[in-house]
């Protein structure tokens, strides 16, 4: 055969030159893809890599699967299965609400993946930044470590015992092993502390606008404060003083204040709020995420109330007890929808089926729920400039008010100044026209956090910290949950992919 | 085997025509004689003796003698199966004795193989050839369906009943887990690459409620008009396929188009009209049953609109199809030509769906320079226009589509409300009729395929061939979800416009050496170089928020929101050297050696080149002098082959660590920053999958070819499987392709045919093929990667996504269903086996093997009858022992989704209570064994002798998918789902597939 080839070569050579440019070159053409070696040369290229990590953090506030897993099962959020077939979804939501979830629940899988996507992307960026010949990227590396630590905070909070991985590439021969929750706690704390010196402070210069959407020194301290506040849950050992110290770093930075109007934090143009310590940005007009709370959470007919260019899906509701926590004059109470519903001009809103006005009533039946059951929360205000079904409202993951309440709680729990705790709590209350408290107890703080931070991701943590998550009851929840429900299971698909993982007890 | 068919058919036709020719009376006298076999001299009984040009005929007696009245100047035609026919002039004789020679044409018939042709008798590999006469009749848009059930070991399954839908061909089982198991298609010498267009056809992106759009891949063979195909050769063993090297592991199908024939211009026109109806529908609760259920269960908050609608009735229709083909062919001694145009229009059985297929083809063959130079030009083109129903059988989806919503839509709703608008429930469950009538999903595919192959005889035995080929495919997809429909209302209307182009160029230079060294030594060798370059490119724009439904994809600028604007380009290259030697010693000992060295741009830097050798020997034992010359065994040949082939059908750029820009941004400091993310890890070792195949077989003919067939045993071991590993969290890259593991296929194939009756007026021929394949995953590990189980194929339906239905487990076959074992229902709650025996059921520990999609065996039987001018043929096809997951029932046979969604009636009979959960378990795995009457045709050939301009005229009626015998409770056990992205589409998972039709048609063909 060899002889044929050699004979032939002279004949074909001419044709080859004409027909194909590079006949033995088997390198692949990249067509618009870049390689780690050639990228990260400019600041904006570095930022484009970090943007992917920040974008992945959106899970904690965007109302998607991860957000729902964080909120379901608490006394402030429900997705009832509607009698018109919506939101049944094979029972995945009610399973979460009823504390009967299994490792097969695909929304828990989503939550796991959303959390670990942040970690994986951060690891990849860190590795690539480490390999690039460019110097002087220490601040960016610190920033990525801080975001990764924040994601590990969520992993620790939801799943407890998770693998700690800082390598970008997972070695299939040496798959990550589960670390204990306490080890993850130590990792979160030490990573944040290591990153803080390199992070910019919002208190100095004009970092607020330029850095908006990124982790600052104060954001890192805030994560520390919240982590320490829950230290007893995570490690069995309290860390109130550390929480107070971290809170003070934020409060004393002078970078944050409470805007006079609570609602300013939730309007479409909320990115200027002086209260935001760390927020996920939403910019649907430029494919930069979506705020779909109005779409998911209001009734179909509310499109006439808010002049929406779409029909809402009648999904998210609040439990009645969440509404009942507020005094009538409390500004925060105005965010709820209940009773007879009217459009922007005061005309009655129609029901989907049958005649008559839409009247939102308490939940009657959560497995076969009528369209008008359940009070609604319109926390992120309808945005007049809709992009498709999405609003522009950014979602704060950490607001200054939470840090104030965090410090107040840590003070009370550690026997610190009750007067300062009272002042901090009242600072939050009076802003919203709630009656100032004369004295403050832990229960007051527990309730105040519920009022102030509803649907902002802290209720599950608070209920676990205050020991109510397993025992709270209402009409459709009459038995206590076993202790192991305070952690979500490792999703079965992840267990199969990595046999080194250990399932949480009870599952 | 096709040759017999064609010869018989030709002869029958000829005789039938002759019979009707009226010859003026001439002097008749008795002619007698004896017909004997040449060589042995034995009398041949049953030989047909006909006076040429008349209806006068007889048959020889037991001793071969005959007597017939024949004119003195007439001619007698002697014909007998297995012997060459002979015409003998009477020439005033009264005794005409004739010796008939054995017909060796069957063994001399030319079969197309890779880079050349071979005599059937000389073939040493496992090759099945299916000629045009044997093709399945009926409304056939996809050429794959032509050979369904016709070849042992070749499993052809239509993806769905969608008009023009792709058919999946599996030759000798699947060798690959994720690199694709489709054979290589070679059309007139040009290898086709299956385009990757599927991923572009889903306008909703992965997941989400817009997964309603058709995601079936474009069928690459739809550009070829079935009536332009001369033959399809299926190369099965390594000896036959190794010449295609890294693309040969899944077998090769060579399609040869029809050429012109020497003679005057001949014009053919054929046409058919067909009527189709859905073969089966599923039973759901009627409006009355729905109301009764609510009453019985004290459910009050449900909506009763008072109507009683059978939604399946509303979306299915009687569909019509028609086909017209016109071809002109002819030729001189030096130039042959054939040109054809074809048109097929097929309505779908779902309203507002269908396909129009226009094809054209010109083939010219020219010889010059004293036959030293030959030029073959083949050019084909097609335009395929599809109007797709909003349906998708893609796995892992939750959302609705027209079929799902027809099953679950509230039966008390009327189709239209009192104002004449579609009655709608909400944006998640859509009025099925509005789905079909309001939502548009159009796809237009334009394809050109051509090559010019020039052969020049340089000197004596040496020729050189240069083959230049080009393929071009343009797929344009336009979709619109209007504001008027609840699905699009929230989006203000959603339009998607996309186009993709796939083209390739081919250059092949082959040296050909052919020499008969002496009477006993024949050598035939080739050596060549091949270069093929493939490019895929495309763009896609998805926009929403229109002010009016009039603009749609015609004017995407009228939308106020751009959801996605993307474009891409990729290319790949394959450079190869190949050679083959065929050596024939004494016409008894045959040797074939081949080798191909392939270099592919897709492989990693350390593994760019692979070598694929094969060798085979055959022994024509019936040509040995010691072999008894009897009629019992007229031909017998043993074959053994072994070889290595590869599979390189993975995507491009999989070995490189690339960063890709996404279409998403994230706003930092007020600026929208485009997200650039790592796409994968580097894998410089990435290479082809390697299949080592051993084949031993025999070809045989008994009773002078009256019974014929072949028997093969094979064993294929595929190593270095391209496995897509799920990388455990936290990894930015969630899957990684690596060459790991081994899969084995072994099996037996039997093809057997014969004439049960073979009389002048009546023939009955039976062709049977039977094959059994055993598949086993040997290993999923190597030094680096190791896994005991890989779970795959997500379930579909609400609450089931994210749960895998199958698992790949060493020691088990591919297609193993894996889940809890259902043991019954207690107190309205499903119970599953505690496999681990720890006293409680857990979804983590108590999952096990609960079924398998691999059949024990499959078979096809074709019966062909000829009676005078009538012919009747029917084909039965079947499969035994294959399991099917009824995912449709899993999703909809559960009472707890009432009243929001309607359910399958079967749920009323099961014991699971109203509040009872339904989980994926063995309960939903059913036996999918079946026997199907695929095709039945009755034809009549007119006597055209009296009409001088007519050469042939025929009418026929055909029924397709006439009955299905199966215990499977779903629509059809023969299902293939689609998946997004690369990988193997799973068989045996039934979820919302476009249902099969039952089709009746009448057709006619006429040749001038």
């Amino acid at each position: 055969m060899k002889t044929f080839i050699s004979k032939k070569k002279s004949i074909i050579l001419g044709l080859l030159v004409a027909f194909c440019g590079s006949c033995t070159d088997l390198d692949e053409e990249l067509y618009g893809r870049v390689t780690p070696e050639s990228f990260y040369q400019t600041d904006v290229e570095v930022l484009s890599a970090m943007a992917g990590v920040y974008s992945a953090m959106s899970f904690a506030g965007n109302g998607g699967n991860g957000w729902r897993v964080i909120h379901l099962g608490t006394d402030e959020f429900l997705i009832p299965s509607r009698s018109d077939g919506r939101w049944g979804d094979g029972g995945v939501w009610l399973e979460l609400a009823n504390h009967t979830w299994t490792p097969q629940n695909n929304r828990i899988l989503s939550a796991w993946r959303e959390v670990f996507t942040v970690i994986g992307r951060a690891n990849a960026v860190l590795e690539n930044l480490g390999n690039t010949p460019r110097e002087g990227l220490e601040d960016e590396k610190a920033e990525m470590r801080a975001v990764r630590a924040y994601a590990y905070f969520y992993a620790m909070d939801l799943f407890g015992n998770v693998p700690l991985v800082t390598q970008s590439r997972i070695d299939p021969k040496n798959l990550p092993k589960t670390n204990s929750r306490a080890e993850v706690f130590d990792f979160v704390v030490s990573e944040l502390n290591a990153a803080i010196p390199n992070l910019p402070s919002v208190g100095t210069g004009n970092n607020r606008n330029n850095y908006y959407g990124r982790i600052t020194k104060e954001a890192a301290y805030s994560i520390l404060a919240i982590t320490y506040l829950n230290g007893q849950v995570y490690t069995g050992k309290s860390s109130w003083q550390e929480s107070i110290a971290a809170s003070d770093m934020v409060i004393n930075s002078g970078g944050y204040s409470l805007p006079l109007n609570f609602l300013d934090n939730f309007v479409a143009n909320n990115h200027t709020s002086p209260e935001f310590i760390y927020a996920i940005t939403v910019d649907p007009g430029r494919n930069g995420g979506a705020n779909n709370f109005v779409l998911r959470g209001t009734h179909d007919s509310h499109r006439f109330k808010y002049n929406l260019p779409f029909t809402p899906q009648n999904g998210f509701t609040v439990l009645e007890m969440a509404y009942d926590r507020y005094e009538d004059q409390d500004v925060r109470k105005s965010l709820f929808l209940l009773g007879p519903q009217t459009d922007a001009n005061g005309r009655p809103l129609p029901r989907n089926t049958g005649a008559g006005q839409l009247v939102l009533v308490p939940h009657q039946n959560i497995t076969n729920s009528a369209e008008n059951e359940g009070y609604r929360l319109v926390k992120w205000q309808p945005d007049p400039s809709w992009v498709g079904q999405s609003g522009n409202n950014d979602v704060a993951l950490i607001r200054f008010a939470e840090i104030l309440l965090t410090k107040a709680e840590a003070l009370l729990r550690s026997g610190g100044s009750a007067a300062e705790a009272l002042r901090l709590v009242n600072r939050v209350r009076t802003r919203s026209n709630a009656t100032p408290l004369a004295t403050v107890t832990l229960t007051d703080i527990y309730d105040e956090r519920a009022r102030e931070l509803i649907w902002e991701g802290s209720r599950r943590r608070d209920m676990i910290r205050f020991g109510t998550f397993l025992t709270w009851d209402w009409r459709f929840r009459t038995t206590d949950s076993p202790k192991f429900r305070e952690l979500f299971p490792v999703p079965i698909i992840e267990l199969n992919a990595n046999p080194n993982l250990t399932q949480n007890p009870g599952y | 085997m096709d040759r017999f068919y064609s010869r018989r058919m030709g002869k029958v036709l000829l005789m039938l025509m002759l019979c009707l020719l009226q010859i003026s009376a001439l002097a008749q006298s008795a002619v007698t004689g004896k017909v004997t076999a040449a060589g042995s001299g034995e009398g041949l009984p049953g030989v047909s003796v006909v006076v040429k040009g008349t209806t006068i005929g007889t048959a020889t007696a037991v001793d071969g003698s005959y007597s017939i009245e024949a004119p003195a100047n007439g001619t007698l035609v002697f014909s007998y199966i297995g012997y060459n026919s002979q015409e003998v002039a009477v020439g005033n004789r009264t005794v005409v004795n004739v010796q008939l020679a054995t017909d060796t044409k069957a063994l001399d018939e030319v079969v197309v193989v890779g880079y050349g042709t071979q005599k059937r008798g000389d073939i040493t590999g496992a090759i099945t050839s299916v000629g045009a006469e044997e093709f399945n009749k009926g409304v056939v848009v996809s050429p794959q369906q032509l050979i369904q059930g016709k070849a042992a070991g070749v499993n052809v399954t239509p993806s769905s009943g969608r008009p023009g839908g792709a058919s999946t061909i599996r030759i000798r089982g699947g060798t690959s887990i994720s690199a694709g198991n489709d054979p290589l298609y070679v059309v007139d010498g040009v290898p086709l690459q299956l385009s990757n267009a599927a991923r572009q056809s889903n306008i909703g992106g992965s997941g989400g409620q817009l997964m309603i759009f058709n995601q079936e891949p474009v069928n690459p063979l739809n550009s070829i008009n079935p009536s332009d195909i001369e033959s399809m050769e299926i190369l099965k063993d390594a000896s036959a396929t190794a010449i295609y090297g890294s693309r040969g592991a899944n077998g090769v199908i060579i399609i040869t188009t029809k050429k012109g024939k020497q003679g005057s211009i001949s014009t053919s026109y054929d046409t058919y009209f067909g009527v189709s109806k859905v073969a089966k529908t599923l039973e759901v609760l009627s409006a009355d049953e729905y109301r009764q259920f609510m009453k019985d269960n004290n459910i009050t908050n449900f909506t009763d609109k008072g109507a009683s609608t059978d939604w399946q009735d509303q979306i299915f229709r009687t569909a019509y199809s028609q086909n017209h083909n016109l071809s002109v062919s002819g030729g001189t001694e030096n130039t042959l030509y054939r040109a054809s145009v074809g048109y097929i229009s097929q309505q779908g059985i779902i309203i507002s769906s269908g396909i129009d297929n226009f094809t054209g083809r010109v083939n010219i063959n020219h010889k010059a320079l004293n036959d030293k130079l030959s030029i073959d030009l083949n050019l084909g083109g097609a335009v395929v226009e599809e109007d797709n129903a909003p349906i998708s059988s893609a796995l892992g989806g939750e959302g609705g589509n027209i079929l799902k919503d027809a099953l679950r839509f509230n039966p008390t709703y009327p189709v239209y409300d009192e104002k004449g608008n579609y009655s709608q429930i909400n944006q998640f469950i859509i009025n099925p009729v509005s789905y079909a009538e309001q939502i548009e999903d159009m796809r237009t595919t334009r394809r050109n395929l051509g090559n010019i192959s020039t052969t020049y005889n340089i000197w004596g035995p040496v020729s050189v061939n240069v083959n230049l080929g080009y393929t071009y495919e343009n797929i344009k997809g336009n979709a619109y979800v209007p504001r008027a429909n609840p699905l699009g209302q929230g989006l203000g209307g959603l339009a998607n416009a996309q186009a993709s182009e796939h083209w390739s160029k081919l250059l092949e230079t082959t040296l050909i050496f052919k020499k008969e060294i002496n009477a006993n030594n024949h050598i035939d060798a080739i050596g060549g170089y091949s270069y093929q370059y493939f490019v895929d490119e495309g763009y896609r724009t998805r926009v929403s928020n229109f002010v009016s439904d009039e603009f749609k994809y015609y004017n995407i600028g009228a939308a106020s929101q751009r959801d996605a604007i993307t474009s891409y380009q990729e290319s790949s290259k394959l450079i190869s050297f190949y050679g083959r030697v065929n050596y024939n010693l004494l016409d008894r000992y045959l040797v074939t050696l081949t080798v191909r060295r392939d270099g592919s741009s897709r492989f990693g830097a350390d593994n760019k080149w692979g070598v694929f050798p094969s060798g085979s020997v055959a022994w024509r034992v019936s040509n040995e002098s010691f072999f008894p010359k009897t009629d019992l065994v007229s031909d017998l040949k043993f074959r053994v082959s072994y070889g290595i082939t590869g599979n390189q059908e993975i995507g491009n750029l999989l070995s490189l660590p690339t960063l890709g820009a996404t279409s998403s941004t994230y706003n930092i400091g007020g600026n929208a920053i485009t997200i650039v993310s790592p796409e994968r890890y580097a894998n410089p070792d990435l290479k082809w999958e390697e299949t080592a195949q051993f084949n031993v077989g025999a070809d045989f003919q008994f009773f002078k070819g009256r019974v014929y067939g072949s028997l093969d045993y094979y064993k294929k071991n595929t190593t270095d499987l391209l496995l897509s590993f799920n990388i455990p969290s936290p990894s930015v890259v969630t899957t990684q392709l690596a060459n790991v593991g081994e899969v084995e296929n072994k099996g037996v194939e039997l093809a057997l045919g014969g004439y049960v009756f073979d009389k002048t007026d009546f023939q009955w021929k039976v062709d049977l093929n039977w094959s059994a394949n055993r598949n086993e995953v040997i290993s999923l590990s190597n030094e680096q990667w190791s896994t005991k189980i890989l779970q795959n194929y997500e379930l579909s339906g609400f609450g089931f996504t994210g749960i895998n239905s199958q698992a790949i487990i060493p020691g088990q076959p591919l297609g193993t269903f894996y889940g809890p074992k259902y043991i019954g229902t207690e107190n309205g709650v499903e119970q599953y086996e505690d496999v681990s025996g720890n006293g409680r059921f857990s979804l983590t520990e108590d999952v096990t093997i609960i079924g398998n999609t691999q059949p024990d065996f499959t078979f096809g039987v074709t019966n062909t009858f000829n009676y005078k001018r009538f012919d009747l043929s029917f084909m039965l096809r079947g499969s035994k022992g294959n399991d099917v997951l009824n995912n449709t029932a899993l999703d909809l046979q559960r009472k707890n989704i009432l009243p929001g969604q309607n359910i399958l009636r079967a749920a009323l009979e099961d014991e699971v209570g109203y509040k009872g959960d339904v989980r994926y378990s063995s309960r939903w795995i059913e036996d999918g064994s079946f026997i199907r009457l695929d095709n039945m045709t009755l034809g009549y050939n007119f006597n055209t002798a009296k009409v001088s301009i007519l050469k042939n005229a025929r009418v026929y009626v055909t029924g397709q998918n006439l009955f299905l015998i199966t215990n499977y409770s779903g629509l059809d056990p023969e299902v293939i789902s689609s998946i997004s992205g690369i990988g193997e589409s799973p068989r045996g998972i039934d979820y919302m597939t476009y249902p099969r039709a039952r089709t009746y048609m009448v057709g006619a063909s006429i040749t001038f």
Side-chain angles (χ1 to χ4, degrees), chain A residues 1-6 8, chain B residues 526-528 577-581 594-597:
Chain A
M1 201 209 98
K2 278 268 189 271
T3 55
F4 292 122
I5 293 171
S6 59
K8 194 168 49 48
Chain B
I526 58 162
F577 301 94
Y578 52 86
R580 176 174 58 213
V581 178
T594 68
V595 66
R596 182 167 178 130
R597 182 162 185 260

Side-chain angles (χ1 to χ4, degrees), chain B residues 468-666:
Chain B
L468 296 173
Y470 187 78
T471 68
Y472 172 81
E473 177 182 73
N474 176 305
I475 303 171
K476 210 174 86 176
N478 283 328
Y480 187 65
V481 183
R483 300 162 56 89
N485 190 279
L487 200 61
Q489 185 260 335
L491 305 161
L494 176 84
N496 185 68
Q498 64 187 43
S500 57
E501 276 190 350
H502 315 272
W503 55 269
S504 71
K505 56 185 181 181
L506 171 76
L507 162 70
E508 281 174 341
T509 311
T510 311
L511 268 187
I512 303 156
F513 178 87
K514 234 178 199 163
K515 187 154 174 76
E516 291 194 18
I517 297 164
N518 54 45
N520 290 331
N521 289 277
H522 298 211
I523 202 163
D524 167 0
I526 58 162
Y529 165 86
S530 165
Y531 169 91
Q532 198 164 11
Y533 180 68
F534 305 90
V535 175
D536 291 346
E537 56 185 302
Y539 68 82
R540 169 176 165 188
T541 309
R542 184 155 53 88
V543 298
S544 58
N545 240 337
F546 288 86
V547 291
S548 155
D549 275 338
E550 295 303 314
F551 300 116
K552 45 180 115 170
Y553 43 79
Y554 302 121
N555 186 353
I556 51 180
S560 66
Q561 190 185 341
R562 281 86 176 113
D563 297 314
I565 300 175
T566 57
S567 65
Y568 69 93
Q569 185 162 352
E570 286 175 10
S571 69
S572 67
K573 232 181 278 181
L574 196 64
I575 298 173
S576 319
F577 301 94
Y578 52 86
R580 176 174 58 213
V581 178
N582 291 321
Y583 181 66
N584 179 340
L585 176 66
L586 297 166
D587 220 15
R588 270 171 264 164
Y589 312 108
L590 307 153
V591 178
T592 302
L593 298 171
T594 68
V595 66
R596 182 167 178 130
R597 182 162 185 260
D598 266 342
S600 170
S601 61
R602 287 173 168 173
F603 303 145
D606 300 344
N607 270 322
K608 285 288 185 200
W609 291 90
V611 177
F612 304 93
S614 83
S616 57
V617 292
W619 178 30
R620 208 121 139 229
V621 63
S622 56
N623 281 6
E624 292 285 359
S625 53
F626 60 78
F627 195 81
K629 292 277 174 275
T630 66
D631 279 2
L632 176 65
V633 180
S634 39
D635 185 63
L636 183 61
K637 182 172 74 179
F638 294 107
R639 297 177 269 109
V640 180
S641 74
Y642 181 79
I644 311 275
T645 50
N647 182 1
Q648 65 126 23
E649 289 312 310
I650 50 173
N652 300 319
L653 292 164
L654 293 177
S655 72
L656 300 176
T658 53
L659 306 176
T662 67
S663 57
S664 303
T665 69
Y666 191 72

